[in-house]
Amino acid sequence: ALSAVAGFYRELMPSPVVVTLVPLGNSRSAGLYGTVLRPLRPSAQIFFGGAAESFSLGDDWLATHELFHVGNPFLTSRLPWLIEGFTTYYEEVLRARAGALPTAAAWGELLSGFSRHCQPEDGHSLADDSARMRQSHNYQRVYWGGACLALRVDVAIRRRSQGKRSLDDVMRALRQRGLQEPLDEEDVIAALEDAAGAKGLVRAHLD
């Protein structure tokens, strides 16, 4: 996971990144949950079942997800549709690129998440669900609704550039800009739509 994420962010990845593995309770699960600390102390904590006797972390999504957060762009406010949604997209993409997850399995995970959470639920837009995620606890909708948007933007960028550019380039550019000055939502939307050559694509998806 560290290699995959560092390869993605390249020189923009902070160093060092401290990773702490914490056994928790009597669970036998490999990855329970994780958290990151930024920006002063780039680090990730991965909590796993304290009663687990054996498990393989080679294809586990949790470490890739949490470590990708370390390189997220700095923002003026929380944007879960971007920070969690795009990270959810890349947790699958980067594992497949690294060979930790078969390509077909990665596409299967994406399709499963999109089919359940890409469309509005209960009449609420992704923008609404993102803004009230911590109150509604509708995390899956925001994570996978944002991942669905990430795929749409990625495909649009690749089509426009005939495969010469991708969402990877935009994410690195946003990271670079955020290191100079935190970005707001309109900055992010403009950068994504400019790269995709599709004015209104992001806003329409959010709305």
Side-chain angles (χ1 to χ4, degrees):
L2 277 168
S3 296
V5 173
F8 180 88
Y9 286 116
R10 302 172 184 172
E11 71 280 359
L12 298 173
M13 186 70 173
S15 180
V17 176
V18 178
V19 180
T20 306
L21 302 178
V22 185
L24 191 66
N26 295 318
S27 172
R28 295 182 179 273
S29 298
L32 294 174
Y33 65 91
T35 185
V36 294
L37 297 176
R38 297 185 312 139
L40 299 180
R41 295 182 179 179
S43 62
Q45 288 184 314
I46 308 295
F47 295 84
F48 66 93
E53 295 178 358
S54 64
F55 47 79
S56 170
L57 291 176
D59 61 353
D60 184 63
W61 65 270
L62 184 60
T64 304
H65 183 102
E66 297 303 333
L67 290 169
F68 193 83
H69 277 317
V70 174
N72 285 153
F74 295 114
L75 305 169
T76 58
S77 61
R78 294 181 182 274
L79 294 180
W81 64 264
L82 172 74
I83 296 302
E84 297 297 351
F86 282 45
T87 297
T88 297
Y89 176 63
Y90 275 107
E91 82 189 28
E92 306 298 336
V93 170
L94 293 186
R95 286 190 297 153
R97 288 179 185 173
L101 188 68
T103 302
W107 280 115
E109 290 290 333
L110 290 170
L111 178 60
S112 175
F114 296 163
S115 64
R116 288 178 288 122
H117 302 292
C118 192
Q119 298 300 323
E121 298 174 1
D122 301 323
H124 296 292
S125 68
L126 179 57
D128 290 338
D129 282 326
S130 181
R132 62 191 184 92
M133 182 182 75
R134 294 183 182 276
Q135 290 73 43
S136 68
H137 305 292
N138 199 0
Y139 297 104
Q140 291 297 307
R141 156 65 171 152
V142 176
Y143 282 46
W144 284 103
C148 183
L149 173 57
L151 175 65
R152 293 185 64 190
V153 174
D154 200 0
V155 169
I157 294 171
R158 291 171 186 270
R159 283 177 173 166
R160 185 189 187 200
S161 67
Q162 297 183 331
K164 295 178 181 178
R165 300 188 76 237
S166 72
L167 181 59
D168 299 13
D169 300 294
V170 183
M171 294 300 291
R172 285 190 285 265
L174 290 173
R175 166 72 175 173
Q176 181 70 67
R177 288 177 58 188
L179 292 173
Q180 307 302 316
E181 183 176 0
L183 308 173
D184 62 22
E185 186 171 41
E186 293 307 315
D187 293 328
V188 172
I189 291 174
L192 294 172
E193 291 186 345
D194 286 348
K199 184 69 174 179
L201 169 64
V202 175
R203 180 57 68 186
H205 186 96
L206 292 175
D207 290 345

